[in-house]
Amino acid sequence: MLLFPMYIEVDEIYNLACPASPVHYQFDPVQTTKTSVHGAINVLGLAKRVKARILQASTSEVYGDSVVHPQPESYWGHVNLIGPRSCYDEGKRCAETLFFDYYRQHKLDIKFVRIFNTYGPRMLPNDGRVVSNFIVQALKGEDITIYGEGSQTRSFCYVDDLIERFVRMMNTERGFTGPLNLGIPMNFQCWNWLKKCFS
Ligand code: UDP
C-alpha cells in the first residue's frame, strides 16, 4: 500500500514498513527498496499535507558491517551498497535522508529510531533471526545452528519495550528528531549467549 499515494486524515504516523528478516526482504529485493524509498516519500508527503507528526522505524542495519561496537548514533556506518542485504540497508538509509530533508526543507515534525534485533511472541518460525531460530530448533529437538564460530554480536530488544519506546519517542518535544538507537546498550556474542541460555 505504501507504494501508492494515500489520502487519509491523521495526527500521527508510525512508518514501520518493510519486512526486517533477511529471508523475507531478500525474497523480492526490488520491492524492498521500493517499499523503503517510495514508501517514505508517500508517508512524508502525507505528513506534510496533514501536518502530522511522523516516526520512522529505521534499523541498526544502517550501520552495515560495522567496524565500531557498540554503535553510537553518531557513527555513519560501513555499508556494502551492492550486496544481497543492500536493498534493506540502503533503502532504510535513503529513507533517513528523506526524513531529514523533509525536516529541514518542509519543517516536518519528524522522529526516527534505529531498531536493533527485536524478538517476542508471534514471530514466524521461519523468520531466520537468531533468537527465534534457536527457540524453534530447541522446541523441535533439533541441533542448534551456529554460523561460523558464533562470534557474531547482536544487541537484542524485546518487542514490548520497543513499542513503549516508539510511543515515548513520538511524545517527545518538537525538534527532538533522533536518530535514537533502540536495543540494549551492549552486544552479545551469539555463542556465549546460547551457552548462557542452556546452562
Ligand atoms: N502523498 C500522499 N498522500 C498525501 C500527500 C502526498 O500519498 O496526502 C504523496 C504524493 O503522491 C507524492 C508524495 O507523497 O508522491 C510526496 O508528496 P510531496 O507533497 O512531498 O511532494 P510532491 O507531491 O510535490 O512531489
Side-chain angles (χ1 to χ4, degrees):
M1 176 173 123
L2 277 177
L3 290 181
F4 303 101
M6 64 201 129
Y7 289 84
I8 50 177
E9 307 307 313
V10 291
D11 300 317
E12 292 181 348
I13 302 168
Y14 291 80
N15 183 29
L16 312 185
C18 193
S21 148
V23 180
H24 299 132
Y25 72 65
Q26 287 172 22
F27 175 72
D28 188 345
V30 172
Q31 199 70 6
T32 295
T33 303
K34 284 184 181 174
T35 301
S36 288
V37 178
H38 287 189
I41 292 171
N42 285 333
V43 290
L44 286 162
L46 170 64
K48 188 177 114 191
R49 183 179 62 80
V50 300
K51 298 188 173 37
R53 181 170 269 202
I54 181 166
L55 181 143
Q56 167 74 353
S58 191
T59 169
S60 58
E61 297 296 333
V62 298
Y63 299 122
D65 192 6
S66 181
V67 291
V68 176
H69 297 281
Q71 298 88 30
E73 286 87 347
S74 54
Y75 180 49
W76 288 356
H78 181 241
V79 183
N80 177 358
L81 73 166
I82 55 169
R85 301 178 79 100
S86 309
C87 55
Y88 186 71
D89 302 3
E90 293 290 4
K92 289 288 192 176
R93 285 171 69 92
C94 184
E96 288 199 11
T97 304
L98 283 161
F99 266 68
F100 249 90
D101 282 334
Y102 270 79
Y103 170 67
R104 282 186 289 253
Q105 191 176 334
H106 297 302
K107 314 292 175 230
L108 250 62
D109 191 0
I110 65 153
K111 312 275 169 201
F112 68 90
V113 292
R114 293 179 179 150
I115 303 171
F116 282 66
N117 202 295
T118 302
Y119 65 96
R122 298 164 64 91
M123 289 179 80
L124 291 173
N126 71 340
D127 177 87
R129 277 170 292 181
V130 63
V131 178
S132 57
N133 268 10
F134 283 2
I135 291 172
V136 170
Q137 287 178 322
L139 287 174
K140 288 181 170 171
E142 293 174 357
D143 289 344
I144 290 185
T145 314
I146 298 275
Y147 298 131
E149 300 293 308
S151 57
Q152 311 85 335
T153 56
R154 293 290 180 276
S155 163
F156 297 116
C157 183
Y158 185 64
V159 64
D160 289 1
D161 298 333
L162 184 77
I163 302 300
E164 193 226 318
R165 277 158 184 77
F166 278 179
V167 175
R168 276 165 61 174
M169 182 64 172
M170 185 62 105
N171 291 330
T172 56
E173 73 275 16
R174 191 184 175 92
F176 186 81
T177 58
L180 195 73
N181 286 345
L182 294 184
I184 51 169
M186 62 187 289
N187 284 323
F188 282 107
Q189 277 202 331
C190 293
W191 176 228
N192 286 333
W193 175 69
L194 180 66
K195 280 192 291 191
K196 274 198 185 71
C197 292
F198 289 92
S199 60

